[in-house]
Amino acid sequence: MRGGLRRVSDLLFVPGANRHGVLPALLVVLTVTTGLVDALSFLGLSRVFVANMTGNVAFLGFALAGDPQLSVWAPPLAVAVFTAGAWSTGRLARWMPRARREFTVLTAVHALLVAAALVVALLAGHRTAGVRATLIALLGYGMGLQNAAARRLAVPDLVTITVLTSTLTLLAADPPERAGLRRSVSITALFTGALTGAVLFLNLGPVPVLAVALVLLTAVTLASRPR
């Protein structure tokens, strides 16, 4: 598996320029996971994102203005737990200076949080406010951890797995080059995750979405371990 991931990662850079091993391909997989969980959270958890905090800030403004389809409590909860996750990553960096090792550990923690969310969805569904708040907290905290860990890796054009505004801007503004391929792949990955998550949720509910996300996170954890 590592050989295939390395070849994919190498294709995202000019020949011989990839110094990040399999990490670029793994970050693309995590971007797919972002689309999956944001599809679930927006469609099933009170119209909120657990990964895209820009959207949540805007949603809170819309809700306070009186939009009946948006929740007043869900966006600030998502922002708070995401921020807590990112803060936790920053504190862990003091004890774990190797970004690659931290990435593996936090991806494993993220997988455990998604597993907990899967258990909650299996046992309690997703329709009551309390269950929705629990799912938002578990998924949002995990995305905060993961996003901060990915940022520390400093892989060009793949430092963020949750926001694509800058990626789109650079893709449109800069001359075509191999960086444009990385940006296009990142955009495609998020779209693919969102589409897959929406199809699964609308037809089968939250459990399959969380199950796929858990499989992807487990695979990334295993593949990112140092040899």
Side-chain angles (χ1 to χ4, degrees), residues 62-115:
F62 302 157
L64 292 174
D67 188 328
Q69 293 184 317
L70 295 174
S71 166
V72 174
W73 62 265
L77 173 61
V79 171
V81 295
F82 183 95
T83 302
W87 181 88
S88 299
T89 299
R91 305 292 78 73
L92 181 63
R94 299 177 181 178
W95 305 99
M96 194 175 294
R98 293 181 57 193
R100 175 70 175 267
R101 175 63 176 168
E102 181 190 58
F103 176 77
T104 300
V105 170
L106 291 180
T107 304
V109 174
H110 190 186
L112 291 174
L113 291 168
V114 171

Side-chain angles (χ1 to χ4, degrees), residues 11-123:
L11 289 173
L12 299 175
F13 294 83
V14 296
N18 177 24
R19 300 188 179 93
H20 306 281
V22 300
L23 290 176
L26 297 182
L27 291 174
V28 171
V29 174
L30 289 180
T31 305
V32 174
T33 305
T34 296
L36 285 167
V37 296
D38 262 351
L40 165 61
S41 64
F42 182 79
L43 296 172
L45 304 180
S46 302
R47 300 292 184 186
V48 69
F49 291 127
V50 292
N52 181 0
M53 295 302 110
T54 303
N56 287 331
V57 173
F59 289 162
L60 179 58
F62 302 157
L64 292 174
D67 188 328
Q69 293 184 317
L70 295 174
S71 166
V72 174
W73 62 265
L77 173 61
V79 171
V81 295
F82 183 95
T83 302
W87 181 88
S88 299
T89 299
R91 305 292 78 73
L92 181 63
R94 299 177 181 178
W95 305 99
M96 194 175 294
R98 293 181 57 193
R100 175 70 175 267
R101 175 63 176 168
E102 181 190 58
F103 176 77
T104 300
V105 170
L106 291 180
T107 304
V109 174
H110 190 186
L112 291 174
L113 291 168
V114 171
L118 177 59
V119 171
V120 171
L122 280 168
L123 296 178

